[in-house]
DNA sequence: CTCCAACTTGAAGCGAACTTGAGGTCACCC
DNA sequence: GGGTGACCTCAAGTTCGCTTCAAGTTGGAG
């Protein structure tokens, strides 16, 4: 069974134009009918779903492309394929979770102490502390940046 | 003590051009010297740090602006100010964490079962399941979307 | 065989979040 | 008071992740 672009769009929730765009950057593949229309293999559906999930957590299409490049597009991925991809992302996801938890806790802490205003709250008074160890305020952006800069 | 744009940039790790941009969209404020140069009060440093943290977790500058608008820029924020902001963001952050954990667990599950390829793994075979309850594949994008679309 | 919705391409447009550049001014050190 | 590095404005440019449009083609239902 193969899918038309309309079917893939309906089942993935991703617009046809976006799917064409994904193909143009090498994120997904299609075969063509004699009349030049795209046909997608089902694994593409999972691939697309995965792309959206990864986007949700802040990965760029470039990064996702890189990661998925380690998976075969033609054959079904093996455990080893997955294991490779998974381990490289896991740390990243953990970092992301930690970053959000830190912001959440910071926010919670602020309810109690009224900080972003109190000098005494070092946890929430990062700028001046960071200045002591040089510029960058790296405590808030611990590892790789998400986009831009 | 006030900060020049260069100092604020160095201490926050945010480029001067970005700081000017933030000001242009009303995210931060400055006073001017007689010679028309910007001078920032220290709370601005915390504000900027907060902005970057919030960006890291996927909030747009618009949303951050809205949220911070509930905080006073002139006076120091009170507990009540913080409490308001905090409670409105908390759920959002929780959702974000949950979403990432789901992706992580999905990834972990895949190591064991080789999915994104096995039909038997329903957890990781969302597309076909989603098709049963109509298009959208909403399982992966549970609540509000981050950007675009 | 005809029809029409669904597809095709390529180019242009868009919003977000900045950066870069040109041309000019300011402020602090010697 | 002179020099120079940090600052100013405004406009235009950049990247990402798409969408929209125009003009044409395909393929399946009747």
């Amino acid at each position: 069974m193969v899918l038309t672009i309309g079917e893939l769009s309906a089942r993935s929730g991703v617009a046809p134009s976006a799917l064409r765009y994904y193909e143009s950057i090498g994120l997904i593949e299609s075969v063509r009918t004699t009349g030049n229309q795209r046909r997608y293999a089902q694994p593409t559906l999972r691939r697309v779903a995965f792309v959206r999930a990864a986007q949700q957590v802040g990965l760029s299409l470039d990064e996702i492309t890189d990661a998925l490049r380690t998976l075969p597009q033609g054959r079904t991925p093996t455990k080893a394929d997955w294991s490779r991809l998974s381990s490289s992302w896991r740390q990243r996801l953990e970092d992301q979770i930690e970053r959000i938890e830190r912001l959440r806790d910071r926010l919670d802490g602020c309810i109690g102490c009224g900080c972003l205003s109190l000098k005494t709250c070092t946890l929430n008074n990062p700028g001046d502390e960071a200045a002591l160890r040089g510029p960058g305020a790296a405590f808030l952006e611990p590892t790789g940046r998400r986009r831009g800069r």
Side-chain angles (χ1 to χ4, degrees), chain A residues 35-57:
Chain A
N36 200 34
Q37 295 196 357
R38 289 172 180 81
R39 289 301 120 96
Y40 298 95
Q42 297 113 313
T44 310
L45 185 49
R46 281 164 227 148
R47 209 175 159 94
V48 170
F50 203 84
V51 168
R52 300 309 278 215
Q55 271 189 305
Q56 284 272 328
V57 306

Side-chain angles (χ1 to χ4, degrees), chain A residues 19-90:
Chain A
L19 294 173
R20 285 188 207 104
Y21 174 69
Y22 287 173
E23 188 173 330
S24 78
I25 60 169
L27 194 44
I28 59 175
E29 273 179 358
S30 64
V31 291
R32 298 303 181 105
T33 63
T34 50
N36 200 34
Q37 295 196 357
R38 289 172 180 81
R39 289 301 120 96
Y40 298 95
Q42 297 113 313
T44 310
L45 185 49
R46 281 164 227 148
R47 209 175 159 94
V48 170
F50 203 84
V51 168
R52 300 309 278 215
Q55 271 189 305
Q56 284 272 328
V57 306
L59 295 165
S60 71
L61 292 185
D62 252 23
E63 293 169 307
I64 299 169
T65 305
D66 280 355
L68 286 182
R69 201 156 27 220
T70 73
L71 292 183
Q73 261 187 308
R75 64 180 174 82
T76 44
T78 64
K79 277 188 199 184
D81 291 327
W82 267 108
S83 182
R84 213 179 320 115
L85 187 154
S86 178
S87 62
S88 77
W89 279 21
R90 197 190 158 101

Side-chain angles (χ1 to χ4, degrees), chain A residues 102-129:
Chain A
R102 191 156 49 230
L103 180 61
R104 182 196 57 189
D105 295 345
R106 191 171 299 242
L107 219 41
D108 284 353
C110 283
I111 299 178
C113 80
C115 51
L116 239 78
S117 63
L118 289 174
K119 291 198 203 63
T120 49
C121 179
T122 48
L123 216 190
N124 295 277
N125 207 3
D128 298 316
E129 206 187 49

Side-chain angles (χ1 to χ4, degrees), chain A residues 125-143:
Chain A
N125 207 3
D128 298 316
E129 206 187 49
L132 300 175
R133 352 172 208 129
F139 58 95
L140 274 174
E141 310 174 53
T143 41

